[in-house]
């Protein structure tokens, strides 16, 4: 026991000593009134004794003073003090001293409700040590008769109705289990006492350090020693308490996260056997006065002095406090000597049994312990610290047994310490480090024996051990186990592993992530299972923010680049692209821009749609955000893509690579939202943005639907409220203030748009894919930048180029702008952005002007056809296109009417049958009776397309009648062009039309036309008709033709055509002869097949009849088996 330790109750052990204390208190008061040094015992600021472990307190020779002692003390006081009113603190002290704990608790509760908290009661009930039940009273205490003022004696197990074990008290109860419970209860009490003793020693050591540093501070106040761990934990607790009381919740949360090794809800977690000190505010207010010593209270109870019952508190000066401290020290020294004498007596009377972890028992007297430590069991007592306490127990015995006999006796216990598992079981861990070491040794043996479906349950254990294990080699082995835990982890298992890796990285920091986690990823980069490679790809992205920036932009980037180029699994490359996007979100090395650009192009050219979708949804937005920070989005990234498109168009004059064009244009399209965000954030009105008041919401149709949240302009800008405010200022600026000084928008207007329009003018209009891609790009560009921008900046530039007049069309060279892709791109990409009445009127007028201009100029209609094909794909524009065509139907020029008739052929393919019946067929019938024969002939392809696409019978009959009039009306007998168009149309639609229409109408009329062509006298016309008939018959020969039609129309028509080809084109005659022979063979085979079919049908009928007879015969049999043979006998 320390030299400065005394009983914390500070009460005398006998009535004589109590009387002596009372007299000392009276003398001290008398000396104080006379000016002599001294301190009365009832001074609340007097320092009390140091805390002692409960086990040592039980051996004290002091007892609590009796009531008589208190009376004597009170009687010895001056009468003025005795007659004063007793304070609540004195009452509380009396209740605690007499162990009226429940009464004191109720008193404390009533004081709290009235707002008068008493520090004495608060400290007592907030200290759990006051309620720890102690072991039985030692002999010393029994001899001295420890009074009620001592600590709570340990009671037996208190049985309540809920906890009562009736089997324990039954006649047939298991006596052995009761004894085992008693042993366990005893061991639990001993463990608690050991913990209390260790805490007391820790408190004593902390106080000794404090006193030493106080002396050093007085001698050298300019030197400040570093903070000790216990001091840090105590101050942390007080600071956290202050933050919570004063509503600094966020600061408290942050402070708690930064000190995650401490429990701020429990003062005992600090590790000292002292009550919670006052809060920081109280300490600050008392910083100039004498504060209570840290030895005021101890962990077992709250003590009172007899003189405190008067309730008079007298403030003393520091010199008086020093005298009182010296007096207390002398008392502590006396008690120390008394306890030392008792310890010597115990050593001479008791035996010590030490049970070690290897099951060796050594019995010796206490005085012989050092000799046995060094010789008998080769164990140094100084080496036994807290970590080895679990390997032995101290047991007091009264038997005279030799160590050899005890060891031989205990050898009959069945214990196994020879195996690895037995060694682990016998070596119990009692602190964090030893637990981690044990887990590191056991987990490699546990994992292989766990079911594959349940191995993810081991992930927290593996990660925690790998995080806290002290040995790098063991940590590496555990992380290797983690990445190889599951052979082919599914999505949920990969998410669990990644979550654990992120938690590990957050805890250990960038250095260990680089040294421990990244090597595991590198080992799995070429694993044979794609799920493992997928885990690596996802891990690189998840760990990106926890890696050093140098490693992130070098090693990790190279790993992902290698996987993107070499991995064959689509899902792995998709994950690689997403992880690369995350890397682009953290990278800060401008030199890596070119590498990122190449990665973007490589991913865009990937054959997998999943990878291309990921590049547009994740990578390009992240890459664009980085280039925006670098300030090179408008100066480098977009111009680089435009330059590649121009180069591609120049190289593709003889064959355009449409896939690459789509790749570059789709990348440009994904860059539109970041470009618009740059325009908004660099606008001259940004300083006027305020988010106060009611901000109108953004219309749902204001922007095109983003492919991912990263392509949402609101996400790029910051929030929808901020975007709404910026859009209001943006529209006002464009409409009223112009673009002066708005460099980012002027770049779009003066550089981007003219370059794009020039590129569009160089595209071949017959490339439907290119037209579609550029139309989509301009549509998204105009919708993103808004209607005002489209009307004032985009449309004027197109209209300046598309001057609609005959002079602008050069039909000879074919290089006019109206014959290029500019027309369909402007019509479908710009004029369709908004669907209001004025926008639709503008589109109708533009298409009418283009149709008129091209028709009157005899220019190719490819640009107009491309516009109709692109617009016809959307049913919204069917009515609009029919309006345009009706304008052509009633136009005064036959050229325009012919163009309108040709356009109907394109429109019929996408229009529903109702519109065809109500709008298309009446217009075509009107044109079929046009005065101009060319107009009538122009309607034939449209009629043929209707026969191919429509299934309505009445509609088909009307078209059939119109085509029959063209073939049978005498006025068309000599119309060579009409016959050519009909044959061409039959050859195109014949294979796809209804079989009945083909057999009853198409083939008979082709036979008639071939027969008439034999009598044609004009050789040119005969050759033209024969050539068209050859194409038509070649297409129809692949169709199924009935035998009747084959014999009556198809083969005769071929023979007529062969007669023409013998004279006009011998090479075609050979092919026709082959076709005729093949047709005749089909007819012959079909006849043979029908004959064979009839024979087989007859045979089957005969077989069925025989089967029926056989079964009926079998059914007539009786149970006798002898009659079965008669069934198969031939009738005689």
């Amino acid at each position: 026991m320390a030299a400065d330790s005394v009983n914390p109750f500070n009460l005398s052990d006998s009535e004589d000593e109590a009387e002596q204390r009372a007299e000392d208190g009276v003398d001290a008061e008398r000396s104080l009134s006379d000016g002599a040094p001294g301190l009365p015992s009832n001074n609340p600021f007097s320092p009390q004794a140091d805390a002692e472990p409960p086990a040592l307190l039980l051996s004290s020779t002091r007892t609590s003073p009796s009531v008589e002692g208190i009376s004597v003390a009170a009687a010895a006081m001056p009468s003025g003090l005795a007659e004063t009113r007793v304070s609540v603190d004195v009452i509380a002290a009396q209740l605690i001293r007499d162990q009226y704990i429940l009464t004191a608790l109720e008193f404390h509760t009533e004081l709290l409700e009235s707002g008068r908290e008493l520090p004495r009661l608060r400290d007592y009930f907030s200290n759990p040590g006051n309620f720890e039940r102690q072991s039985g009273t030692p002999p010393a205490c029994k001899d001295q008769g420890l009074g009620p003022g001592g600590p709570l004696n340990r009671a037996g197990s208190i049985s309540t109705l809920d906890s009562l074990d009736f089997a324990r008290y039954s006649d047939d109860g298991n006596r052995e289990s009761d004894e085992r419970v008693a042993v366990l209860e005893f061991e639990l009490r001993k463990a608690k006492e050991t913990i209390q003793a260790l805490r007391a020693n820790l408190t004593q050591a902390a106080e000794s350090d404090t006193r030493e540093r106080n002396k050093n501070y007085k001698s050298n106040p300019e030197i400040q020693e570093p903070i000790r761990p216990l001091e840090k934990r105590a101050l942390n607790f007080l600071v956290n308490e202050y933050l919570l009381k004063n509503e600094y919740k966020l600061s408290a949360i942050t402070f708690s996260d930064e000190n995650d090794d401490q429990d701020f809800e429990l003062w005992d977690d600090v590790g000292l056997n002292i009550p919670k000190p006052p809060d920081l505010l109280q300490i600050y207010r008392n910083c100039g006065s004498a504060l209570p010593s840290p030895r005021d209270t101890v962990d077992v109870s709250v003590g009172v002095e007899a003189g405190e019952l008067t309730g008079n508190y007298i403030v003393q000066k520091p010199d008086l406090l020093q005298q009182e401290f010296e007096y207390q020290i002398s008392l502590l020294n006396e008690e120390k000597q008394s306890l030392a004498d008792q310890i010597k007596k115990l050593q001479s009377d008791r035996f010590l049994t030490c049970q070690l972890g290897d099951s060796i028992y050594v019995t010796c007297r206490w005085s012989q312990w050092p000799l046995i430590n060094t010789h008998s069991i080769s164990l140094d007592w100084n080496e036994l610290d807290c970590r080895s306490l679990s390997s032995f127990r101290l047991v007091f015995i009264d038997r005279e047994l030799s160590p050899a006999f005890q060891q031989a006796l205990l050898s009959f216990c069945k214990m196994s310490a020879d195996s690895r598992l037995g060694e682990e079981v016998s070596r119990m861990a009692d602190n964090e480090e030893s637990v981690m070491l044990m887990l590191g040794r056991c987990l490699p043996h546990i994992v292989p024996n766990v079911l594959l479906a349940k191995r993810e349950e081991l992930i927290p254990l593996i990660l925690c051990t790998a995080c806290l294990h002290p040995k790098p080699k063991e940590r590496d082995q555990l992380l290797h186990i983690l990445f190889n835990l599951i052979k082919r982890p599914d999505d949920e298992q990969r998410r669990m592993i990644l979550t654990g890796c992120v938690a590990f990285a957050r805890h250990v920091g960038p250095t260990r992530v680089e040294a421990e986690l990244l090597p595991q990823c590198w080992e799995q980069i070429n694993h044979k299972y794609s799920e493992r490679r997928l885990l690596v790809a996802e891990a690189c992205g998840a760990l990106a923010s926890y890696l050093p920036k140098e490693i992130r932009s070098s090693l990790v980037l190279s790993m992902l680049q290698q996987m993107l180029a070499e991995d064959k699994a689509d899902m792995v490359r998709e994950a690689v692209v997403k992880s690369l996007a995350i890397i682009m979100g953290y990278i800060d090395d401008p030199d890596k821009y070119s590498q990122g650009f190449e990665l973007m192009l490589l991913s865009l050219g990937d054959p997998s749609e999943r990878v291309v979708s990921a590049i547009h949804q994740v990578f390009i937005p992240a890459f664009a955000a980085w280039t925006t920070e670098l300030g090179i989005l408008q100066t480098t990234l977009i111009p680089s893509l435009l330059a590649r498109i121009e180069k591609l168009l120049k190289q593709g004059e003889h064959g355009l690579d449409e896939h690459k064009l789509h790749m570059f244009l789709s990348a440009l399209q994904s860059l539109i939202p970041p470009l618009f965000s740059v325009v908004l954030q660099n606008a001259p009105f940004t300083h006027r943005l305020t988010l106060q008041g009611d901000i109108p919401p953004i219309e749902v149709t204001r922007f095109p639907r983003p492919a991912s949240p990263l392509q949402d302009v609101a996400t790029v800008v910051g929030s929808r409220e901020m975007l709404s405010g910026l859009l209001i200022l943006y529209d006002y600026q464009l409409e009223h203030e112009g673009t002066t000084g708005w460099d980012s928008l002027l770049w779009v207007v003066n550089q981007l748009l003219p370059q794009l329009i020039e590129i569009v003018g160089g595209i071949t209009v017959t490339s439907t894919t290119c037209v579609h891609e550029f139309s989509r790009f301009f549509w998204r560009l105009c919708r993103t930048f808004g209607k005002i921008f489209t009307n004032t900046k985009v449309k004027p530039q197109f209209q300046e180029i598309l001057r609609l007049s005959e002079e602008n069309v050069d039909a000879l060279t074919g290089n006019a702008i109206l014959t290029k892709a500019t027309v369909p791109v402007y019509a479908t990409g710009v004029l369709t952005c908004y669907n209001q009445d004025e926008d639709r009127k503008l589109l109708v007028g533009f298409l009418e002007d283009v149709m008129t201009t091209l028709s009157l100029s005899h220019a190719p209609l490819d640009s107009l056809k491309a516009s109709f094909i692109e617009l016809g794909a959307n049913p919204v524009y069917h009515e609009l296109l029919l309006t345009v065509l009706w304008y052509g139907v009633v136009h005064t020029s036959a050229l325009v009417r012919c163009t309108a008739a040709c356009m109907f052929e394109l429109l019929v393919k996408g229009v529903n049958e109702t519109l065809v019946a109500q709008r298309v067929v009446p217009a075509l019938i009107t044109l079929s009776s046009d005065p101009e024969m060319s107009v009538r002939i122009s309607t034939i392809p449209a009629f043929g397309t209707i026969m191919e696409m429509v299934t309505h019978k009445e509609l088909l009959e009307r078209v059939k009648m119109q085509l029959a009039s063209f073939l049978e009306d005498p006025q068309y007998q000599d119309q060579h062009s009409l016959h050519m168009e009909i044959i061409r149309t039959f050859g195109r639609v014949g294979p796809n039309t209804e079989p009945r229409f083909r057999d009853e109408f198409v083939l008979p009329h082709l036979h008639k036309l071939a027969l008439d062509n034999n009598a044609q006298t004009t050789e040119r016309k005969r050759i033209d008709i024969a050539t068209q008939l050859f194409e038509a018959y070649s297409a129809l020969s692949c169709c199924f033709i009935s035998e009747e039609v084959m014999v009556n129309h198809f083969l005769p028509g071929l023979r007529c055509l062969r007669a023409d080809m013998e004279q006009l084109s011998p090479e075609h005659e050979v092919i026709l002869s082959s076709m005729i022979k093949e047709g005749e063979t089909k007819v012959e085979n079909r006849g043979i097949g029908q004959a064979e079919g009839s024979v087989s049908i007859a045979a089957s009928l005969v077989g069925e009849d025989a089967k029926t007879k056989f079964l009926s015969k079998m059914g007539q049999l009786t149970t006798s088996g002898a009659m079965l043979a008669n069934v198969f006998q031939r009738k005689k």
Side-chain angles (χ1 to χ4, degrees), residues 567-713:
D567 205 291
K568 297 180 180 180
D570 295 349
M571 61 179 182
V572 176
R573 297 198 306 275
E574 179 188 10
V576 167
V577 168
K578 294 179 180 179
S579 295
L580 282 172
I582 299 174
I583 295 293
M584 293 301 155
Y586 289 97
I587 200 169
D588 55 359
D589 185 2
D591 297 334
K592 297 296 179 180
Y593 163 77
S594 58
Q595 187 176 359
F597 185 76
E598 294 300 327
L599 287 172
M600 181 184 71
L601 296 181
L602 179 63
S603 303
L604 286 171
D606 196 278
S608 172
E609 293 183 0
R610 298 177 57 176
V611 178
V612 175
S613 176
I615 197 73
H616 288 295
Q617 294 179 4
V618 188
F619 183 87
I620 291 181
F623 189 60
W626 182 37
T627 56
T628 300
E629 294 179 13
L630 298 177
I632 59 175
L633 176 65
Q634 293 178 313
T635 59
T636 305
L637 181 55
I638 295 178
S640 298
L641 291 173
L642 291 175
R644 278 168 170 76
I645 293 175
E646 291 177 338
K647 182 179 179 181
L648 188 65
L649 293 176
K650 291 179 181 179
Q651 295 175 351
E653 294 179 355
H654 304 288
L656 181 63
D657 190 346
E658 295 181 351
H659 176 70
K660 284 189 176 181
L661 181 64
H662 167 73
M663 182 177 75
F664 296 140
L665 273 178
S666 61
L668 272 179
Q669 186 173 314
S670 297
L671 290 174
I672 292 175
L675 177 62
F676 184 63
S677 302
V678 171
V679 171
L680 287 180
Q681 292 170 344
N682 292 278
F685 52 76
T686 52
H687 65 280
R688 303 201 304 265
L689 176 64
T690 57
L691 299 180
Q692 299 176 357
D694 295 333
I695 299 178
I698 304 172
E699 296 181 4
V700 178
T701 58
R702 170 61 181 83
F703 292 100
R705 180 177 298 176
S708 71
L710 295 177
Q711 287 189 348
D712 191 350
V713 181

Side-chain angles (χ1 to χ4, degrees), residues 357 386-391 422-431 434-435 438 441:
C386 298
R387 290 173 294 180
S388 59
L389 286 177
S390 61
S391 62
E423 182 181 355
E424 294 292 347
V425 172
S426 62
R427 181 171 51 185
M428 298 297 293
D430 61 350
N431 59 25
S434 57
V435 170
M438 182 269 294
R441 294 189 301 267

Side-chain angles (χ1 to χ4, degrees), residues 347 354 489 564 712 751 1097:
Q347 289 177 346
C354 183
L564 180 63
D712 191 350
Q751 297 185 38
I1097 292 173

